[in-house]
Amino acid sequence: MANSLPSLRRLSSMTRKLNQAGAASTGATTKLKRFWKKTTVVEQEDGSHAVMLDHRHLKTPMGKPFKVNSQDLANLVALEWDSQKEIIEPSSMYIASLSNTAIDHPSEMTREQRIAHLLPFFETDTISFREPVNELLMEHQALRWEPFSDWFKEHYKVDLLITQGLTDNQLPEADEVVCTELRNMNHWQLTAMELAVDTAKSMVIPLAMYHRFASAEEASLAARCEVEFQTDRFGVVEWAHSLEQADTQARLAAAALVMDLAKDEDCVPDA
C-alpha cells in the first residue's frame, strides 16, 4: 500500500475530469464569472496565512475571513481559486470547500456529538461485510478490503469483526480505540474525517489514509469495490461512472491533504 499524500497535480487532474463530466451531464445554470486576476497568499500579523483575490480578502460562505496557520494549506486553496477559468466552479475546489466547512463549522455540533454521528459508520463499516452468495464478489472484496482490515488489527491491536450479517456490532474494544482516535484529532482533522467517512461509508478506510497506510487512490478503490465489480462485469455508463469515480477520489484526496496539513490549525471551541 502507498505511504504518500495525493499530489496536487493528481487532484487537479481529477477535478478537471469531474468538471468536464459535469458539464456534459447538466443543463445551463446561473454561473458566477471570475472577477479577479491575481491570487496570492499573504502572511498576517498573527502568523496565519490569508488568501487574497487581487486586493480582496477571500471569505468563507458565512463571511468569515479565510485564514489558516499552514502556509501549504493556504497555497493549495489559493491554487484552486487561481485555477478557475472564466466561470467559477465551486464544486471543483475540494480543499477550499473542506476548509470553509472547518472555519464556519455550520453544524455547530460538539465534538462528542460529531463522534456519536460518525460511530454508526464503523458499526456498519463497508469493509466489515462480505457478500454471502456471490463467490466472485467475495474474492474481489477480499482483494480490496483485507489489506485494510489486516492493517486495522495490526495498528490498533484489536480484532475487527468481519461478518455476513447486518445485525452484528463491532467489539467494544474496537469501538473504544476508534473513539480515542477521533477525540485526539483537532477540529480540522475531524472535519476532514467526516468528509472521508461519508464518502467511503467506512471508518477503517479513512483511518488508514490518516495514518498514511493507504493513498487516496487505494482508498477510492476500496470504497468503490462493489461498484467496480459490477462495472467490470456489466460495463459502465461512460459519463456517470467517470463522474462518480473522479468525485470519490477527489473527495478522499482533499480529506487526506487537510488531515495532514491542518495538524496545527486552531480548534473550534466545543460546547
Side-chain angles (χ1 to χ4, degrees), residues 217-236:
E217 182 177 3
E218 291 163 339
S220 177
L221 288 172
R224 300 182 69 259
C225 170
E226 292 171 340
V227 174
E228 179 189 48
F229 176 78
Q230 295 297 337
T231 55
D232 284 347
R233 294 184 67 192
F234 304 114
V236 300

Side-chain angles (χ1 to χ4, degrees), residues 18-264:
L18 191 63
N19 287 338
Q20 291 167 359
S25 62
T26 59
T29 57
T30 301
K31 298 289 187 178
L32 293 176
K33 292 186 176 182
R34 178 167 178 153
F35 56 85
W36 71 98
K37 294 182 178 179
K38 186 177 181 181
T39 310
T40 56
V41 172
V42 177
E43 185 172 359
Q44 306 294 285
E45 292 183 359
D46 61 1
S48 65
H49 298 84
V51 176
M52 307 294 294
L53 306 179
D54 292 336
H55 62 279
R56 301 175 180 87
H57 193 142
L58 179 64
K59 293 187 177 181
T60 69
M62 294 178 65
K64 298 179 181 178
F66 186 99
K67 59 179 185 177
V68 293
N69 292 330
S70 168
Q71 183 174 1
D72 288 338
L73 181 56
N75 286 339
L76 286 174
V77 172
L79 187 53
E80 284 187 330
W81 277 92
D82 197 49
S83 298
Q84 298 301 300
K85 306 303 182 184
E86 181 181 355
I87 301 299
I88 302 173
E89 296 286 352
S91 63
S92 71
M93 294 188 280
Y94 288 85
I95 299 173
S97 177
L98 181 52
S99 299
N100 286 336
T101 301
I103 294 171
D104 284 343
H105 190 40
S107 75
E108 298 184 346
M109 294 170 65
T110 67
R111 176 177 295 273
E112 289 304 313
Q113 287 173 330
R114 296 166 74 186
I115 292 172
H117 178 73
L118 287 172
L119 279 179
F121 286 94
F122 182 53
E123 297 299 335
T124 60
D125 201 292
T126 292
I127 74 166
S128 293
F129 294 89
R130 298 293 191 268
E131 166 60 48
V133 178
N134 190 319
E135 186 174 342
L136 291 176
L137 177 55
M138 287 184 68
E139 292 176 359
H140 191 67
Q141 289 171 333
L143 173 68
R144 293 297 186 207
W145 292 345
E146 282 187 3
F148 288 86
S149 58
D150 290 345
W151 168 83
F152 184 92
K153 290 183 281 188
E154 174 63 24
H155 183 81
Y156 292 108
K157 309 303 181 186
V158 296
D159 285 332
L160 182 70
L161 181 68
I162 305 298
T163 180
Q164 295 179 356
L166 297 175
T167 59
D168 299 318
N169 293 322
Q170 291 294 340
L171 301 174
E173 52 266 36
D175 286 337
E176 185 56 36
V177 297
V178 168
C179 285
T180 299
E181 186 80 273
L182 295 175
R183 290 188 181 110
N184 287 336
M185 294 180 183
N186 69 25
H187 166 74
W188 279 70
Q189 291 171 321
L190 189 58
T191 302
M193 182 62 66
E194 288 170 328
L195 173 64
V197 168
D198 180 68
T199 300
K201 301 299 183 283
S202 166
M203 180 69 70
V204 176
I205 293 172
L207 285 174
M209 281 202 314
Y210 178 67
H211 288 284
R212 296 199 184 188
F213 170 74
S215 67
E217 182 177 3
E218 291 163 339
S220 177
L221 288 172
R224 300 182 69 259
C225 170
E226 292 171 340
V227 174
E228 179 189 48
F229 176 78
Q230 295 297 337
T231 55
D232 284 347
R233 294 184 67 192
F234 304 114
V236 300
V237 178
E238 185 173 353
W239 69 263
H241 286 110
S242 297
L243 178 64
E244 188 271 340
Q245 180 182 10
D247 182 60
T248 297
Q249 190 168 335
R251 283 161 62 97
L252 291 173
L257 283 164
V258 171
M259 282 190 284
D260 184 73
L261 296 177
K263 293 188 294 289
D264 299 321

